[in-house]
Amino acid sequence: MSDQPAHAPYDALLLLSFGGPEGPDDVVPFLENVTRGRGIPRERLKEVGQHYFLFGGVSPINDQNRELLGALREEFAASGTDLPVYWGNRNWAPYLTDTLRELVRDGRRRVLTLATSAYASYSGCRQYRENLADALAALEAEGLPVPRVDKLRHYFNHPGFVRPMADATLAALAELPEDVRAGAHLAFTTHSIPTAAADTSGPAEDHGDGGAYVAQHLDVARTIADAVREETGTDRPWRLVYQSRSGAPHIPWLEPDICDHLEAVHADGAPAVVMVPIGFVSDHMEVKYDLDTEAKAKAVELGLPVARAATVGADPRFAAAVRELVLERAAAERGERPERCALGALGPSHDLCPVGCCPARAPRPAAAGADSPYA
């Protein structure tokens, strides 16, 4: 029997997220980080930042990541998985490059990454991998050891992600007035992206109408809708809809927008709607503003009862799922054939993003994939 720990060959887990401002003075510098290279004027960024100023200039995402970090450490400790967990962001402190410096100074050389984005897309996967490559290049330029960095597979259909969302949908249904509950529709929401980016999401064989991005979301929505039907005995109308669109209006993005959808189903006689944000891991700004503020205001205007399901956040089942994914990937790296949990029709995702997966408009190095310069 081997004396290796179950997480070998990995010696650290990196929680990698988007980041967000933690006070009014942070908002514009944060948005400058997010939009660097696009030439957006500072005055325009102040306008965009109004969403944050409504909440005191604070995005909830960093506190939510602190909660998830604590839940992961607690789960690992309780299960005897002696794997340190670090946290780094793409666009705000703690910055990814700083966290990787800390990792290597602590002697970590094989790092597994959990990105707070569950689905395949350029912005939800490859851009994280590009940021990892940039950070590793910075360490190399400084003469520091460059760790081997891998990324956990997409977990959109892992039971530890899907089942908390199904339970949250049932809880949101229970919040609706009893006289409209039975006829309530389900609106599964995710971040809109340009249709061109959606069509090229996932491996090349998945490219086409909506690509892997739309297919994965539809599979999760269908799985949750089926679970709700089994629990309640009611087969509810549902649709995948989108939110948080940005960018030039002449560029096609995925539709319909959640507010347009609420108008449409209200006109068709829907008595109520439950919004289920399956595209988001936590209740960060795009959930708090686009759903809890903007979409709910539209519902009030229409006189349409709505409720919003919670995201998985730091749910213990999600933390347990991450531990399972870590041990699964570690076993695969050791040449074993681990069981891979997945619900729905699509099966478990790939461990290693292949060449041509979620391509960028302008090619850039990306770590943790088949085309990584740091393999």
Side-chain angles (χ1 to χ4, degrees):
M1 180 180 292
S2 172
D3 292 331
Q4 289 188 105
H7 55 77
Y10 296 106
D11 55 16
L13 176 68
L14 168 65
L15 173 63
L16 176 56
S17 194
F18 194 81
E22 301 204 74
D25 293 341
D26 296 344
V27 173
V28 172
F30 162 73
L31 292 173
E32 288 175 333
N33 288 342
V34 174
T35 61
R36 181 169 286 118
R38 300 185 205 171
I40 299 176
R42 189 175 179 86
E43 289 306 310
R44 174 60 183 148
L45 294 179
K46 289 180 180 178
E47 294 175 22
V48 173
Q50 290 307 309
H51 295 182
Y52 292 98
F53 292 125
L54 286 174
F55 294 86
V58 178
S59 168
I61 193 169
N62 279 350
D63 277 345
Q64 289 162 4
N65 280 322
R66 291 182 184 101
E67 290 179 22
L68 178 56
L69 193 68
L72 291 171
R73 288 171 173 165
E74 183 177 337
E75 169 66 27
F76 283 13
S79 66
T81 306
D82 186 20
L83 187 69
V85 188
Y86 295 76
W87 169 36
N89 288 326
R90 292 169 49 195
N91 298 297
W92 202 249
Y95 287 103
L96 171 59
T97 304
D98 294 336
T99 300
L100 285 176
R101 286 193 193 99
E102 180 186 359
L103 276 161
V104 298
R105 286 168 178 159
D106 288 347
R108 314 300 175 188
R109 297 295 182 267
R110 286 293 303 269
V111 181
L112 197 49
T113 303
L114 166 68
T116 55
S117 176
Y119 300 85
S121 70
Y122 171 73
S123 57
C125 183
R126 186 175 178 90
Q127 195 169 19
Y128 281 83
R129 294 175 49 223
E130 290 175 352
N131 293 146
L132 279 167
D134 291 343
L136 293 172
L139 266 60
E140 188 174 43
E142 294 166 12
L144 292 172
V146 178
R148 162 76 180 269
V149 179
D150 293 326
K151 180 176 175 290
L152 288 174
R153 67 174 168 94
H154 300 301
Y155 48 85
F156 63 91
N157 57 0
H158 193 286
F161 183 78
V162 177
R163 286 179 178 146
M165 291 297 306
D167 288 348
T169 305
L170 291 167
L173 279 166
E175 295 174 9
L176 292 170
E178 191 171 355
D179 60 331
V180 298
R181 193 178 304 153
H185 291 212
L186 305 178
F188 295 98
T189 77
T190 190
H191 206 301
S192 184
I193 61 175
T195 56
D199 292 346
T200 57
S201 58
E205 61 268 22
D206 292 339
H207 293 180
D209 187 15
Y213 186 75
V214 172
Q216 290 170 0
H217 281 88
L218 285 171
D219 197 47
V220 171
R222 190 174 296 109
T223 302
I224 294 173
D226 287 347
V228 170
R229 184 191 67 244
E230 290 171 12
E231 183 70 25
T232 64
T234 301
D235 193 8
R236 300 173 185 279
W238 64 268
R239 185 165 184 181
L240 177 64
V241 302
Y242 302 92
Q243 60 175 92
S244 313
R245 178 191 165 130
S246 60
H250 68 279
I251 297 175
W253 283 54
L254 293 173
E255 296 177 335
D257 176 78
I258 177 61
C259 291
D260 294 338
H261 177 68
L262 292 178
E263 287 187 342
V265 296
H266 175 65
D268 288 342
V273 174
V274 169
M275 301 181 291
V276 189
I278 58 171
F280 304 92
V281 171
S282 66
D283 285 8
H284 55 64
M285 185 58 72
E286 286 163 323
V287 175
K288 292 291 188 184
Y289 181 80
D290 297 334
L291 295 183
D292 292 353
T293 305
E294 196 171 53
K296 286 190 175 180
K298 171 60 69 174
V300 169
E301 174 191 319
L302 296 169
L304 177 67
V306 296
R308 197 265 292 173
T311 53
V312 295
D315 189 294
R317 291 170 291 179
F318 181 51
V322 173
R323 178 180 57 80
E324 291 172 14
L325 288 165
V326 166
L327 299 185
E328 170 199 296
R329 180 61 182 274
E333 289 293 307
R334 297 193 302 268
E336 301 170 18
R337 297 173 63 89
E339 180 182 355
R340 297 173 178 268
C341 294
L343 300 176
L346 296 181
S349 188
H350 49 261
D351 278 342
L352 197 66
C353 291
V355 175
C357 195
C358 304
R361 284 175 294 180
R364 289 179 55 200
D371 55 353
S372 172
Y374 297 102

